[in-house]
């Protein structure tokens, strides 16, 4: 064939692909999907038309050459391509003498002149592709290791040609092999270039020799590299070989091996089929590693066995006779295959580390093969694939028989080639060690666990009465990261942490088990762990029984937290081993710990409630209600109420610092609810005297204020706080019910008699008020009667949105960083908290001493607050307005809109604000695919047309050109270049068309918040800017970014990993000029070459550029318009319409993005460090961003403050005096009885009568004035002297 099969340009070039990698980073909407699918459909149609045109050209060419075989259609052409043998395409009509002269010239050039190999290789490839000459690719007949150059000359002319060709390709083969071997020693920084170079060398070798020979030679090379690497890693350490050296050696070599395997998978995936690639990886790497590991472990076993035998000899050296027996026994056992010897705990740890390395390597290779070759994993190799069988020829056989295949014998159907899969047999290297490891692992686990438990017991006896020794568990080990943060214990017993740490170290020994050879190790590990679990559980039970007689209450919390920690560990062990074991292995320990946890949690709750009921709330002095003397003159609450508050604060602190957050909230909720039930019952029965009535009012007010302070901690969501449901949130609902009961006691028992009388009687009516009915009480009713809580709550109990202060208080009251609540707080009230953070960090724009280049900005790994907020909000695809709303005021105050409008080519490298830099990096990432495609186009153009760095390689000597047989009709590349004067224009036109055609898809793949941000910016544009940017601000900036990348070669190389020579950079600069001319950004008039490029595109497809720009503009505007329309349906802001499900979806999406969860935690930490400052800003009345300024700079470091080591009651007392138990504030409260009492008209009559009877005025002999006596008598007659109970009383 005279030309290489390629897709021709048909207006918009078909050589491109869609930005599907960008699509995976967002949740596209309907418009985005339509654009992406239409783009794909358009590409498929164009590629189809290009392929059809190529087939038609091929059909006509074949019909011209082979007149005896006429192809009628493109289908016949495809069938002909499939059946033809390319080795016999050109008839052997070339004159023998011409062929010999040509080959002798090649041979002479290679022998007599230096550095001609690369030129000759490209020349031969050019001959093959341009002229259709098929050079023989037969086996060499001699192994690659031979160095002889010429075969024996024979009389037959064919043998003479073969000998010359063998000599030429042998010389070229040596050159390519030397290049491959030397490439291994080059700098590893340019991995992409090295990979492309080696791929090219392999492909050139495949041009000269059969695939089997090339792969064999390359496999031998890589085999030697792997063996040398493994041996050097072990031998590099001084001293004798031991387990420690082996581990350190493989720790340094395994990453290198994974890199080599990844490189070879990429190289082979472009040259040979997946099955051959997997076979190569198996034989070259995996088998070699297994062999080296087997030899190494055998050597270690031999040394260890001799060392054990020597210890036995020394121990028995008193008896010479016995010593001889030992030598005989040792000699016999040494030759046994499964000899046993003792391994220390340290040696077991080394083996475990080694196995962990192989497990990680196996997982990494599995991922690489699936990613690069799309093949099944190690674990899938035993799965049966039914219905489809694969023959050796590659043809598929469907399980159903066909009518025309009845002649196929059943034996032939059964001859199916099994697919080649990865087979890493590293476990076989440990078979000889398995019995020794299985025996020693039981002894080692029992030994260290016994020692740790004995040491802990000694410490307990030496420090009697002290609390259990605890350690932090904030940094969960890698194996425990599957546990959610809300379920992770914070502090656990030190002895248990030490034991579980040792078990984690030995765990890989059990995880290695996949066949019968290592079953004994796993069985012994499981058995030993079960014994340890039982021993630890017994110790925790002893600890829990010592509370409170011998140990403090904190030991009970610590025992519960430790039990949860062990339970989670064994559950994790069970899940990890479930892949290789069908039955649960730790069923009994897991059940035992689950039962113990339930019992202990009940014990903790029950003990705390009993303490409140029997000790704290037993206050004879304070609760002497019929005392005629006032309690501290009515200026303070009861001692019991104050101590109950202190106890709850101490319990809150202990639970928050020791237990898992979820368990801590459950216990605190239970204790609060049950203690409130006790308080409600007792105060409902109180019959205070006149002097003690104010005390009832103060006590209940203090209880309600303390409960309100605790309520923020026990509620984990806004919905749970504002709308507790009896079925969903029963405990919270009960807390509200008890508080409403206490408030009813306060209202009926302590309100002025006149207000009560006027509310419940009409002064003249002797009948019960008609308002007595079943009236619904909102659970939050009591909260809105406490003046101190109103600032954090919504305006009414039925409101759906919480105040900003309440949202912040709820977030910071949680025992952990609740990401859902954090995101809801950030989006709450039109991102009010984010606006305060941005306003307070206005000085945090980039303020470096030196100018930052774009390269440094991309590599910046320490995000500032603005970058963190920008990234999180740009990830919120379900809240597209949030980014624009949060930054709108900030952009205006900092006068940054102009920076966005003037994001020209010259300003891209200048110092710029952080938010502009973030926007620019987002746009850079979105156009990265376009830049890669353009640079790939440049490289392919260089390779095929011999420009740039390829130009010097194709200077073919005239002496060689003269010997090319005339029948081949070869045209030198230099002449072709001279004949083709439009090539540069065509290249630039193709590149510009790719950029313009990609713009709609790029915009479709951008995050919706970023698109809305540019939509918002366009609305603020002045007329001058709008005139320049008719295509839209987003399209304008995308093209400006592409121009900036093409202008700066370093940035282009950084983004693509490619190396650009001077020719490529010049052509990229030409593309940049064309794009600037299209956007009207060129300062001077368009150059002649630019006009030619644009004209060539317009000639192919008139008005296509303008239509593509309008299409991109419309897509951007339509997406933003839909965002605005959807947002206007939500009442009162962007956060009001979010349900918990939507918030949860956004949090999951953010956490799956790069650095998403870390960004959220960084924002949370900054909010936590500046809690008081943010509360002060939020509490400002009539909040106005213009009127409130911040003088305090936010600390942006992630260094947390130290928590208090112990509970300090004096500090709690000082805080409560200000916030909760401010006695003067309580006594000075002006209760609005006229509004409070009517809300109790719907109170149950029985309850009202009981509370009314407990008033001091209702007692016999009460000192009353005449008017009061009339009102009391009237109330008694109506409510307390009814002869017949009402139907409601009967129900009660």
């Amino acid at each position: 064939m005279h030309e290489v099969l390629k897709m021709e340009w048909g207006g918009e070039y078909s050589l491109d692909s869609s930005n599907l990698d960008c699509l995976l980073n967002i949740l596209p909407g309907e418009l985005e999907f339509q654009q992406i699918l239409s783009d794909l459909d358009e590409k498929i149609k164009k590629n189809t038309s290009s392929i059809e045109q190529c087939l038609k050209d091929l059909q006509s060419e074949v019909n011209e050459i082979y007149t005896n075989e006429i192809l009628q259609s493109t289908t016949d052409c495809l069938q002909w391509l499939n059946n033809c043998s390319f080795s016999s395409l050109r008839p052997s009509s070339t004159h023998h003498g011409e062929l010999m002269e040509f080959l002798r010239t090649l041979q002479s050039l290679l022998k007599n002149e230096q550095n001609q190999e690369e030129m000759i290789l490209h020349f031969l490839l050019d001959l093959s592709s341009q002229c259709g000459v098929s050079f023989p690719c037969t086996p060499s007949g001699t192994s690659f290791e031979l160095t002889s150059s010429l075969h024996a000359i024979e009389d037959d002319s064919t043998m003479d040609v073969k000998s010359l060709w063998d000599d030429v390709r042998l010389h070229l083969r040596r050159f390519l092999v030397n290049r491959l071997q030397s490439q291994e020693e080059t700098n590893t920084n340019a991995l992409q270039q090295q990979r492309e170079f080696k791929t090219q060398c392999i492909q050139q070798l495949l041009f000269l020799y059969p695939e089997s020979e090339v792969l064999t030679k390359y496999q031998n090379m890589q085999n030697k590299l792997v063996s040398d690497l493994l041996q050097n890693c072990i031998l590099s350490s001084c001293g004798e070989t031991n387990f420690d050296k082996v581990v350190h050696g493989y720790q340094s070599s395994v990453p290198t091996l994974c890199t080599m395997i990844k490189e070879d998978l990429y190289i082979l995936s472009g040259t040979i089929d997946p099955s051959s690639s997997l076979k190569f990886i198996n034989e070259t790497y995996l088998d070699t590693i297994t062999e080296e590991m087997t030899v190494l472990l055998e050597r270690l076993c031999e040394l260890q066995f001799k060392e054990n035998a020597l210890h036995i000899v020394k121990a028995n050296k008193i008896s010479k006779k016995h010593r001889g027996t030992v030598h005989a026994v040792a000699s016999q056992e040494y030759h046994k295959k499964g000899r046993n010897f003792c391994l220390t705990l340290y040696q077991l740890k080394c083996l475990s580390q080694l196995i962990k390395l192989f497990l990680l390597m196996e997982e990494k290779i599995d991922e690489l093969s699936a990613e690069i070759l799309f093949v099944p994993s190690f674990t899938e190799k035993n799965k049966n694939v039914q219905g489809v069988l694969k023959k050796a020829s590659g043809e598929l056989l469907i399980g159903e028989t066909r009518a025309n295949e009845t002649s196929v014998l059943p034996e032939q159907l059964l001859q199916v080639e099994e697919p080649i899969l990865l087979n890493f047999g590293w476990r076989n290297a440990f078979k000889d060690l398995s019995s020794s490891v299985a025996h020693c692992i039981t002894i080692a686990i029992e030994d260290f666990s016994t020692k740790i438990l004995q040491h802990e017991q000694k410490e307990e006896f030496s420090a009697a009465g002290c609390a259990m020794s605890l350690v932090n568990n904030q940094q969960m080990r890698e194996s425990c990261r599957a546990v959610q943060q809300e379920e992770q214990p914070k502090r656990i017993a030190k002895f248990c942490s030490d034991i579980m740490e040792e078990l984690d170290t030995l765990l890989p020994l059990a995880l290695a088990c996949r066949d019968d050879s290592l079953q004994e190790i796993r069985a012994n590990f499981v058995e030993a762990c079960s014994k340890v679990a039982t021993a630890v559980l017994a110790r925790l039970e002893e600890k829990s029984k010592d509370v409170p007689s011998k140990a403090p209450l904190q030991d009970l919390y610590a025992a519960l937290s430790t039990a949860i920690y062990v339970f989670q560990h064994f559950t994790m062990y069970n899940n990890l081993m479930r892949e290789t074991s069908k039955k649960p292995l730790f069923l009994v320990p897991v059940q035992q710990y689950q039962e113990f946890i339930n019992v202990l949690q009940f014990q903790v709750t029950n003990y705390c409630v009993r303490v409140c009921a029997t000790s704290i709330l037993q206050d004879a002095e304070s609760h002497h209600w019929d005392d005629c003397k006032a309690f501290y003159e009515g200026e303070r609450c009861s001692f019991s109420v104050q101590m109950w508050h202190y106890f709850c604060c101490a319990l809150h602190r202990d639970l928050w610092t020791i237990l898992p957050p979820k368990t801590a909230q459950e216990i605190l909720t239970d204790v609060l609810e049950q203690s409130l039930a006790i308080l409600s019952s007792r105060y409902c029965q109180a019959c205070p005297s006149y002097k003690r009535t104010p005390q009832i009012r103060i006590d209940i007010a203090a209880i309600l204020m303390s409960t309100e302070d605790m309520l923020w901690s026990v509620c984990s969501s806004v919905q749970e706080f504002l709308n507790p449901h009896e079925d969903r949130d029963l405990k919270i609902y009960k807390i509200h019910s008890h508080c409403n009961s206490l408030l009813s006691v306060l209202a009926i028992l302590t309100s002025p008699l006149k207000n009560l009388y006027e509310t419940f009687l009409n002064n003249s009516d002797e009948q019960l008020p008609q308002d007595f009915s079943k009236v619904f009480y909102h659970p939050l009713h009591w909260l809105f009667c406490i003046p101190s809580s109103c600032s954090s709550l919504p305006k009414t109990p039925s409101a759906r949105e919480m105040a900003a202060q309440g949202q912040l208080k709820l977030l910071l009251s949680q025992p952990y960083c609740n990401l859902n609540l954090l995101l809801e707080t950030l989006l709450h009230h039109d991102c009010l908290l984010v606006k305060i953070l941005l306003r307070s960090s206005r000085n945090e724009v980039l303020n470096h001493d030196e100018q930052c280049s774009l390269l440094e900005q991309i590599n910046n790994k320490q995000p500032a607050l603005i970058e963190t907020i920008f990234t999180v909000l740009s990830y919120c695809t379900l809240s597209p307005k949030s980014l624009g709303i949060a930054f709108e005021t900030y952009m205006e105050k900092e006068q940054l809109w102009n920076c966005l409008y003037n994001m020209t080519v010259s300003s891209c490298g200048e110092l710029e604000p952080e938010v502009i830099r973030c926007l620019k990096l987002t746009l850079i990432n979105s156009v990265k695919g376009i830049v890669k495609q353009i640079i790939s186009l440049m490289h392919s153009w260089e390779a095929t047309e011999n420009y740039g760095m390829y130009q010097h390689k194709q200077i073919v000597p005239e002496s060689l050109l003269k010997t090319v047989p005339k029948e081949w009709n070869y045209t030198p590349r230099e002449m072709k270049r001279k004949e083709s004067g439009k090539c540069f224009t065509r290249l630039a036109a193709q590149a510009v068309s790719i950029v313009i055609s990609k713009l709609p898809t790029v915009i479709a793949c951008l995050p919706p918040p970023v698109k809305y941000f540019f939509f918002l910016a366009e609305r603020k544009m002045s007329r001058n800017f709008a005139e320049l940017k008719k295509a839209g601000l987003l399209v304008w900036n995308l093209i400006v970014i592409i121009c900036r990348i093409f202008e700066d070669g370093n940035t282009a190389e950084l983004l693509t990993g490619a190396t650009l020579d001077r020719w490529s950079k010049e052509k990229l600069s030409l593309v940049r000029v064309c794009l600037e001319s299209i956007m009207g950004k060129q300062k001077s008039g368009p150059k002649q070459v630019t006009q030619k490029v644009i004209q060539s595109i317009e000639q192919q497809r008139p008005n296509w550029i303008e239509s593509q720009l309008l299409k991109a503009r419309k897509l951007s505007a339509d997406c933003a318009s839909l965002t605005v329309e959807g947002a206007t349906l939500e009442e009162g802001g962007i956060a009001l319409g979010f349900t918990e499900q939507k918030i949860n979806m956004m949090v999951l999406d953010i956490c799956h993005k790069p650095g998403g969860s870390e960004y959220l935690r960084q924002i949370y930490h900054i909010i936590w460090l500046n809690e008081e400052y943010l509360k002060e800003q939020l509490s400002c009345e009539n909040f106005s961003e213009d009127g409130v300024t911040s003088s305090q700079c936010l600390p942006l470091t992630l260094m947390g403050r130290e928590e208090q080591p112990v509970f300090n009651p004096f500090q709690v007392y000082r805080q409560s005096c200000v916030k909760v138990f401010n006695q003067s504030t309580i006594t000075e409260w002006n209760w609005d009885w006229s509004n409070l009492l009517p809300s109790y008209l719907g109170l149950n009559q029985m309850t009202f009568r009981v509370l009314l009877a407990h008033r001091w005025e209702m007692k016999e002999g009460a000192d009353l004035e005449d008017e009061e006596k009339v009102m009391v008598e009237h109330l008694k007659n109506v409510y307390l002297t009814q002869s017949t109970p009402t139907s409601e009383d009967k129900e009660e």
Side-chain angles (χ1 to χ4, degrees), residues 311-374:
H311 285 317
I312 295 174
V313 171
K314 289 182 178 179
N316 298 279
K317 130 174 157 176
I318 301 173
S319 172
K320 293 183 179 180
K321 182 179 178 180
H322 186 66
R323 184 173 60 221
T325 304
V326 171
H327 272 293
V329 173
S331 178
Q332 290 174 3
E333 289 190 5
Y334 175 72
H335 293 288
K336 290 182 182 179
K337 183 179 180 181
R339 59 187 184 274
N340 291 329
F341 46 83
C342 293
L343 292 169
T344 63
L345 176 61
Y346 181 74
Q347 290 171 337
L348 287 173
K349 288 181 179 180
C350 290
L351 286 174
S352 182
Q353 285 180 282
L354 197 58
I355 288 176
K356 183 179 180 181
L357 282 173
F358 284 123
L359 288 171
L360 293 174
M361 184 180 180
E362 191 175 63
E363 183 181 356
K364 179 65 175 177
I365 298 173
D366 199 1
E367 293 174 358
L368 289 174
S369 63
E371 175 187 348
I372 300 171
L373 302 179
F374 304 102

Side-chain angles (χ1 to χ4, degrees), residues 96 99-100 103 156-166:
H96 175 69
L99 195 57
M100 291 290 290
L103 293 175
D156 190 7
S157 61
T158 306
M159 293 303 298
D160 292 339
V161 172
K162 183 178 182 302
S163 299
L164 283 172
W165 172 241
D166 282 350

Side-chain angles (χ1 to χ4, degrees), residues 144 257 329 372 374 467 541 629 649 684 700 708 712 848 860 875 916 941 950 1011 1117 1202:
F144 273 116
L257 288 171
V329 173
I372 300 171
F374 304 102
E541 288 176 345
K629 295 182 180 179
C649 290
C684 283
I700 293 178
E708 184 266 339
W712 301 96
H848 303 294
N860 183 20
Y875 288 162
I916 303 297
W941 193 279
Y950 294 89
K1011 284 185 275 193
E1202 294 290 335

Side-chain angles (χ1 to χ4, degrees), residues 420-596:
I420 299 176
L421 298 173
L422 289 171
N423 184 19
F424 196 2
W426 60 269
R427 291 172 177 83
N428 297 329
F430 291 85
K431 283 186 177 180
D432 290 347
L433 275 170
S434 61
S435 58
S436 299
V437 172
H439 174 69
C440 296
I441 195 171
T442 304
I443 300 174
I445 291 176
E446 291 178 356
D447 183 52
F448 71 69
S449 60
T450 303
K451 288 181 179 178
I452 293 174
L453 288 171
Q454 289 176 351
H455 179 71
E456 191 272 338
Q457 203 163 13
K458 289 180 182 178
E459 285 187 344
E460 182 187 7
F461 290 147
S462 62
C466 293
M468 193 187 305
S469 179
L470 304 180
V471 292
N472 288 328
N473 190 41
Q474 296 292 343
Q475 300 297 330
M476 294 293 287
R477 286 189 285 276
E478 183 180 357
S479 58
C480 304
R481 288 180 183 172
V483 180
Q484 297 292 331
Q485 187 185 2
E486 63 181 10
E487 297 176 355
Q488 293 178 6
K490 294 185 177 180
R491 289 175 68 81
I492 58 174
K494 184 180 183 304
F495 77 91
C496 184
S497 176
D498 295 340
I499 291 175
M500 299 310 297
E501 187 175 355
E502 297 286 354
L503 291 179
D504 284 347
T505 307
L506 298 177
L507 177 64
L509 292 172
L511 295 180
C513 174
R514 272 194 181 166
D515 49 27
D516 295 336
S517 60
L518 304 177
Q519 288 278 0
E520 189 180 0
I521 298 177
R522 186 179 65 183
N524 289 5
F525 178 81
V526 172
E527 183 182 357
C529 285
S530 300
K531 291 181 180 179
V532 171
T534 304
V536 172
L537 183 61
R539 190 76 188 99
L540 292 176
E541 288 176 345
E542 292 177 8
K543 289 281 187 182
S544 63
K545 292 176 182 178
D546 290 341
V547 178
S549 59
K550 299 180 181 179
L553 179 59
Q554 285 78 5
D555 278 14
L556 210 56
Y557 312 143
L560 177 58
S561 181
T562 305
I564 294 173
Y565 177 79
V566 178
F567 168 77
Q568 291 173 351
H569 251 70
F570 283 116
T571 303
M572 181 264 297
Y573 287 177
N574 202 38
N575 294 334
L576 289 175
M577 295 183 189
R578 187 176 295 172
E579 297 179 1
T580 56
S581 176
K582 297 181 180 179
K583 60 181 181 180
L585 300 175
F586 293 94
L587 183 60
V588 174
V590 167
Q591 289 179 347
Q592 289 176 344
Y593 272 86
Q594 184 66 67
E595 293 173 2
F596 178 71

